[in-house]
Each structure stands twice: as C-alpha cells, then as structure tokens.
Amino acid sequence: EVQLVESGGGLVKPGESLRLSCAVSGLTVSNAWMNWVRQAPGKGLEWVGRIKSKASGGTVDYAAPVKGRFIISRDDSENTVHLQMNSLKSDDSGVYYCSTDYLNDGYWGQGTLVTVSS
Amino acid sequence: QSALTQPPSASGSPGQSVTISCTGTSSDVGRYNYVSWYQQHPGKAPKLMIYEVTKRPSGVPDRFSGSKSGITASLTVSGLQAEDEADYYCASYAGSITVFGGGTKLTVL
C-alpha cells in the first residue's frame, strides 16, 4: 500500500523559512514524479512544483509564484521528498500536499498546514 | 501561466448526468493529452478520478468519464449519486509546469 505522510507545517512570520517533508512508503520516490500542491483556506488547488524521477532526469520545476524562494529535493536514502520554503509570505499560507500519479493511480498525503502571519 | 477555466458550480439530480468543462490554451490542454481530474470532499485530500484525459484509475466507478476537444477538456458524471457531491478540479501538464483549474462545486440536488 502506498502512503504519503507530510510533516513540518506550522506558524511562521513573514520572511521566515520552513521545511516540509513527505515520507513515502510503498513506492520508491526516485522512480516517481513527486509533486507539491497547496490549497489556501477556502480556495482551490495550486500546483507548487515537482521533482521528476531519476529516469526522467530528476529535474525540478516550480510555479511562478514560488520560483526562486522554494526548493524541492529528494532524499533517496530516506525515501522522502522535501520542500524548503524561504522568504515566506502571507499568500503562502495553506495546506500543503505532496502527491504523485504513479503506475496509473494517484496518491496524496493528508496535507500539512502552513500559516504565515505576523 | 493562467489557471484553467472551470465553471464555479454545477448541479444535477440523482441518476442524472452532469458535465464539467475545463478550458485551457494551446500551451496546456490543447497541446498535451495529460489532463487529470480530481475529486475533493470537504476536509479531505484530493482523489484522482481521471488521468491522461480519458483513463480511470482502478477503483473509480465507470460513471466517471473524461474527454477532450481542442483546448477544452470535460468530466462527465453519469448516474449521479449523493456521494458525488464534492469539488472537482482539472489539471493539465504544460511542459515545465502543471496548471490546475479553479474548481467546480458539484451539488447533487
């Protein structure tokens, strides 16, 4: 059974940093395209970025609003994906999900809440 | 990259069919056959319902179907059931990024 478990959310002030983690079991993260998707309170889903599988080059892409501030990385030894979020703004507040569409199925974590407020 | 355009709401009675549209551009929906649809119930994580325009993951009822014409993709839910009431989001691969629609709230009357 595939499981994705996010952690690391919390309350931070504008300008501060936070690191989210997505621990994966049931699949090897280096074999999957892993996404981060966020959802502001009462709003829709917004794609944040992804790290491609090793077979696809392992490259990382970001949405325009977070490019230059967020960094996605992968720890193969821990089978975990990370989202380093720097220079946080109030607009970055919301639930952050990691997800992957792997072997013709979709998997999402339960999400972790990030609140950016002074 | 702008979000894909979805109607904010849709509704139907039990047993009826409803179609939700998702309009993009020639850079996303019109260019790639990588359109997905997600169902999200309140307080829950999204669930993949359709991938690659028309394909259903295992376990998704065949009442859910997807299609695409030009820059518009569609999700059709046939034989509406009470549990289908949820928010639905489309998403499209757009080369280096993925873009989501704004979401459609489906109400089962």
Side-chain angles (χ1 to χ4, degrees):
Chain A
E1 181 190 6
V2 176
Q3 285 195 320
L4 284 65
V5 179
E6 302 94 339
S7 61
L11 172 64
V12 295
K13 293 181 170 56
E16 293 186 340
S17 298
L18 203 57
R19 189 194 197 209
L20 306 183
S21 298
C22 173
V24 180
S25 58
L27 71 84
T28 301
V29 293
S30 60
N31 292 338
W33 289 32
M34 300 298 300
N35 299 286
W36 284 97
V37 177
R38 67 186 180 183
Q39 187 168 34
K43 302 297 184 182
L45 301 174
E46 180 184 19
W47 182 80
V48 173
R50 81 161 70 83
I51 183 165
K52 294 182 180 177
S53 63
K54 271 190 177 177
S56 297
T59 53
V60 185
D61 297 301
Y62 301 94
V66 308
K67 200 168 187 179
R69 299 188 297 125
F70 290 12
I71 300 170
I72 297 174
S73 61
R74 185 176 58 217
D75 184 334
D76 292 345
S77 66
E78 296 288 330
N79 212 41
T80 298
V81 178
H82 299 289
L83 177 64
Q84 176 68 40
M85 303 187 294
N86 301 319
S87 303
L88 282 162
K89 308 173 182 180
S90 57
D91 287 349
D92 295 321
S93 294
V95 175
Y96 282 71
Y97 297 99
C98 66
S99 76
T100 184
D101 294 346
Y102 183 70
L103 294 182
N104 303 330
D105 212 336
Y107 303 97
W108 292 66
Q110 83 290 348
T112 187
L113 177 63
V114 173
T115 304
V116 184
S117 175
S118 54
Chain B
Q1 185 81 29
S2 300
L4 307 177
T5 301
Q6 296 181 235
S9 63
S11 63
S13 300
Q16 288 186 332
S17 293
V18 67
T19 297
I20 299 171
S21 63
C22 169
T23 301
T25 69
S26 58
S27 297
D28 39 61
V29 175
R31 184 169 184 176
Y32 302 98
N33 287 324
Y34 290 110
V35 177
S36 302
W37 289 91
Y38 299 89
Q39 176 192 66
Q40 187 180 34
H41 287 108
K44 301 292 187 182
K47 175 185 176 184
L48 180 66
M49 306 300 286
I50 296 288
Y51 68 98
E52 293 179 15
V53 181
T54 61
K55 300 176 182 178
R56 273 188 314 276
S58 60
V60 172
D62 60 6
R63 301 185 294 102
F64 291 85
S65 62
S67 63
K68 188 184 89 167
S69 178
I71 61 170
T72 299
S74 299
L75 173 71
T76 297
V77 186
S78 305
L80 271 175
Q81 298 182 4
E83 61 261 35
D84 299 334
E85 183 160 300
D87 293 325
Y88 290 84
Y89 296 90
C90 61
S92 175
Y93 182 73
S96 59
I97 65 171
T98 289
V99 58
F100 276 93
T104 298
K105 182 175 180 59
L106 175 60
T107 301
V108 180
L109 302 170

